[in-house]
Amino acid sequence: LNDNPSHYKVTLSGIVKSPKINFDPPFLMLMPVPLDVKTETTINIIPQDFLRKSQIQVELPELELEDGDRIYPFSVQFPEGKNIIISSDGTNKELICHISFRSSRPVSFLGNMFFIDEEAN
């Protein structure tokens, strides 16, 4: 610096953290109910390492019945909104999600519900 030919070496290191979502409880089991009766539960969605505001979307499963009809018996609601907010200390606020199931036809299901952010993570 200032016409001095000294060399300086700067080393940078870091850790890349990908945003992820955890669930409490980690899996969901809804109790059997009579036809056309709603069963529901609440889960906590725990976002981690989101660096900017994001919004959660849910891909609900479509079920095919024995006669070929297709139904969407699941629904979800986010009573406090589905935005992932970063607090002043850098952590992400938990989200509450109500999941419900109702079917007028007999059905059993074992599968996945996908919760994704705006970038399809």
Side-chain angles (χ1 to χ4, degrees):
L1 301 175
N2 296 332
D3 297 324
N4 185 350
S6 299
H7 296 331
Y8 295 93
K9 181 178 178 181
V10 176
T11 304
L12 301 174
S13 65
I15 298 172
V16 175
K17 292 185 176 184
S18 296
K20 61 183 174 183
I21 299 172
N22 291 314
F23 300 91
D24 182 29
F27 64 93
L28 178 65
M29 188 165 131
L30 296 171
M31 301 311 295
V33 292
L35 294 178
D36 224 13
V37 173
K38 181 166 64 170
T39 181
E40 60 187 337
T41 192
T42 299
I43 62 170
N44 291 318
I45 299 173
I46 307 160
Q48 294 179 319
D49 301 324
F50 281 80
L51 300 177
R52 64 181 180 279
K53 184 177 172 182
S54 296
Q55 189 174 83
I56 296 292
Q57 302 295 325
V58 184
E59 292 179 1
L60 298 173
E62 175 186 60
L63 307 184
E64 184 174 350
L65 303 175
E66 290 180 3
D67 64 1
D69 284 351
R70 296 183 178 277
I71 61 171
Y72 290 90
F74 293 97
S75 64
V76 295
Q77 292 182 335
F78 293 85
E80 298 175 7
K82 47 188 176 174
N83 290 328
I84 296 174
I85 307 294
I86 302 169
S87 64
S88 60
D89 65 357
T91 60
N92 301 128
K93 182 182 174 193
E94 290 185 11
L95 302 173
I96 296 172
C97 179
H98 296 299
I99 300 174
S100 63
F101 173 91
R102 180 190 305 235
S103 177
S104 59
R105 309 266 301 272
V107 65
S108 176
F109 172 75
L110 174 63
N112 295 311
M113 223 179 252
F114 293 100
F115 292 77
I116 57 174
D117 66 12
E118 294 165 337
E119 296 177 7
N121 295 313

